[in-house]
Amino acid sequence: MGSHAMSETLREHKDKAAQLFASGRLEEALSEYEIVAHSAPEDLGSRQKVAELLQRLGRKKEAVETYESVAMAWARQGWLLRAIALCKVILQLDSSHGRTQRMLAELYARHRAPAPRLTPAPVSVAPAPPPPPAPRDTLPRIPLFSQLDEAAFVAVLEELAMRSFEPGASIVLEGEQGSSMFALVEGRVDVVRQLEGGIRRKVASVGEGEFFGEMALLSEGPRLASVVATERTVALELTRAQVERLVQRHPSVGQVLRSFHEERLLANVLRGNPLLSALTPAQREAAAHAFQLHTVPAGQPLLVQGQPGEALYLLLRGRCRVVHQHPDGRESAYPVLREGDLFGELSVLLGLPATASVYADTPCTLLRLERQAVERHILVQPGVREALSRLSSARLQRTARLLSGHELFEGDQRV
């Protein structure tokens, strides 16, 4: 039988199986899916359906064995979150079965490599095609997991909870205190923010394999956006209480989470700043590597009005106050700078004195890009000086917008 004919035949079996499943004829549906799974073992979706039907029919031992083989196959193809979700199902069926989790941990620990320092994580704002299968020796780097040792990896897997959401369900709500983060196993969600006048605007779309919610979780602040399921969605949730327990036993979990948090903030700024977003992905990555981590106590001045700026800053944690002093001595407060905000770029790039002073209002962690690095990575790019001129003229308008909340831009996934 030719490949096209075989494909059509398998499609007929899958369609028939789906119909039998929907009508409750589970034994017959299982037979149809088993035909597909035997003929096309690379069809992991059908193999997973076999496991699900075995579970529903009470054939627990066979279901666990099938789930286990499918979980490892998903992991080797790079779909680690799907594999983890199946681990949770296996443990529901057999609470003593930790072998699959240990196998996943061993698989990823064996291929763990140091992550590039502060390389922005890619964030999609449109549906992306599934990644191609990855050979066992070139497993993809999965944020939050690939940099953990085996013991920490298994501990995180044990804490994760699987959640399901129907289309239209709100997973998190803007303004609420954030207490957990999520990883999408399957489905798709929209990131939505409320603007002035009650207008709601979608700023990003998040798909399978991506993470959200770590900003509010780690900063203990309110959610900066709502997240709404656009189709049936399955997610893995990790709460603040679970993170605190994990960090006590495995400090590396806290380090990896903080690094991920910093990378995401940097990625948002590099894409969203009207100057830096003009750089190509390779240029943005080169600039990202030049940022240096900088920690300051509360009260420390970062920019002084009237003096030239020596660096531009990205605020990772904490809060900064901005004050402009008038010739008569009066002071005007500008909008407070919060996590994810960039400042100092115009003074550095245009060589002008700072028009306001910036002080750390709380202990702050920042990324600092020195003037020489700015000149090397940014000023040399075509069109940057024109962009600077536009940015300078837009600053007053931007400041006015900031008075009503954070600046919004397409793809901003801070939640």
Side-chain angles (χ1 to χ4, degrees):
M1 183 182 297
S3 59
H4 179 71
M6 172 65 78
S7 178
E8 286 298 314
T9 300
L10 293 178
R11 167 52 58 190
E12 290 172 5
H13 282 295
K14 289 174 70 172
D15 289 344
K16 184 178 180 182
Q19 293 170 5
L20 291 167
F21 186 99
S23 62
R25 296 159 65 182
L26 303 187
E27 289 281 6
E28 294 169 81
L30 175 60
S31 297
E32 294 295 328
Y33 275 123
E34 285 179 330
I35 291 172
V36 179
H38 178 75
S39 301
E42 73 280 359
D43 186 342
L44 299 184
S46 292
R47 287 169 59 186
Q48 188 167 321
K49 281 293 186 183
V50 168
E52 182 180 343
L53 283 162
L54 289 169
Q55 177 185 354
R56 287 178 178 241
L57 290 166
R59 295 159 63 175
K60 187 174 78 169
K61 183 174 182 297
E62 294 170 85
V64 167
E65 291 174 351
T66 307
Y67 274 131
E68 184 175 21
S69 68
V70 175
M72 295 308 297
W74 280 130
R76 290 192 180 99
Q77 290 192 13
W79 297 83
L80 179 61
L81 296 180
R82 287 192 179 191
I84 292 172
L86 293 190
C87 282
K88 308 304 289 187
V89 175
I90 291 170
L91 289 173
Q92 289 171 3
L93 292 171
D94 180 1
S95 60
S96 65
H97 188 103
R99 182 176 64 186
T100 310
Q101 289 176 307
R102 291 191 297 272
M103 289 169 63
L104 285 177
E106 182 183 346
L107 180 65
Y108 271 79
R110 187 161 60 244
H111 299 279
R112 192 172 70 248
R117 181 185 178 278
L118 294 174
T119 300
V123 179
S124 65
V125 294
R136 186 171 176 139
D137 60 349
T138 57
L139 291 172
R141 176 176 176 264
I142 308 294
L144 306 187
F145 295 104
S146 297
Q147 301 307 310
L148 298 174
D149 60 32
E150 289 185 48
F153 184 101
V154 171
V156 170
L157 264 59
E158 289 173 347
E159 291 285 0
L160 289 167
M162 194 155 60
R163 303 275 309 278
S164 297
F165 303 92
E166 295 303 316
S170 294
I171 301 175
V172 301
L173 291 174
E174 183 175 358
E176 289 188 345
Q177 285 297 117
S179 60
S180 62
M181 64 176 294
F182 298 84
L184 283 186
V185 177
E186 59 183 71
R188 196 156 196 89
V189 300
D190 284 343
V191 180
V192 180
R193 289 208 170 92
Q194 186 162 318
L195 308 183
E196 290 182 271
I199 300 172
R200 287 167 61 85
R201 174 185 169 195
K202 184 178 90 171
V203 296
S205 182
V206 182
E208 183 172 336
E210 297 191 72
F211 295 75
F212 63 89
E214 79 286 349
M215 302 297 174
L217 169 65
L218 296 176
S219 64
E220 300 190 24
R223 298 287 188 189
L224 299 179
S226 297
V227 177
V228 181
T230 58
E231 55 190 72
R232 187 181 181 279
T233 296
V234 177
L236 295 167
E237 183 179 18
L238 186 66
T239 68
R240 180 176 293 119
Q242 290 171 323
V243 169
E244 290 171 352
R245 285 199 298 268
L246 285 166
V247 170
Q248 287 181 352
R249 290 180 290 150
H250 304 281
S252 62
V253 173
Q255 295 165 6
V256 169
L257 281 169
R258 284 192 297 272
S259 175
F260 181 60
H261 178 54
E262 291 164 3
E263 289 177 8
R264 296 265 287 200
L265 281 173
L266 180 57
N268 270 308
V269 170
L270 290 179
R271 286 183 296 102
N273 182 271
L275 176 64
L276 301 179
S277 62
L279 304 178
T280 67
Q283 291 164 348
R284 288 201 298 271
E285 183 170 343
H289 283 289
F291 278 93
Q292 298 298 315
L293 201 60
H294 194 53
T295 302
V296 299
Q300 173 101 6
L302 295 163
L303 290 179
V304 177
Q305 182 176 335
Q307 296 184 11
E310 295 301 324
L312 62 84
Y313 296 89
L314 165 61
L315 183 58
L316 294 179
R317 287 193 292 279
R319 184 178 66 247
C320 293
R321 59 188 177 91
V322 186
V323 178
H324 174 78
Q325 188 171 48
H326 298 274
D328 61 5
R330 289 182 303 110
E331 290 188 344
S332 296
Y334 281 23
V336 171
L337 296 171
R338 303 180 186 277
E339 293 188 1
D341 285 333
L342 186 76
F343 62 92
E345 71 272 29
L346 286 182
S347 178
V348 170
L349 294 166
L350 294 175
L352 299 175
T355 57
S357 296
V358 178
Y359 301 92
D361 201 28
T362 65
C364 291
T365 301
L366 310 99
L367 290 175
R368 174 184 169 103
L369 189 64
E370 300 282 352
R371 179 188 296 274
Q372 295 87 343
V374 171
E375 293 172 349
R376 182 167 63 253
H377 293 291
I378 298 175
L379 281 180
V380 296
Q381 304 303 331
V384 164
R385 295 193 182 277
E386 291 80 359
L388 277 171
S389 177
R390 292 193 299 271
L391 183 60
S392 180
S393 63
R395 178 51 57 92
L396 288 177
Q397 297 177 26
R398 179 175 181 271
T399 299
R401 288 197 299 272
L402 282 169
L403 286 168
S404 62
H406 283 286
E407 187 85 354
L408 299 181
F409 51 85
E410 291 297 335
D412 185 346
Q413 287 187 309
R414 291 178 290 163
V415 176

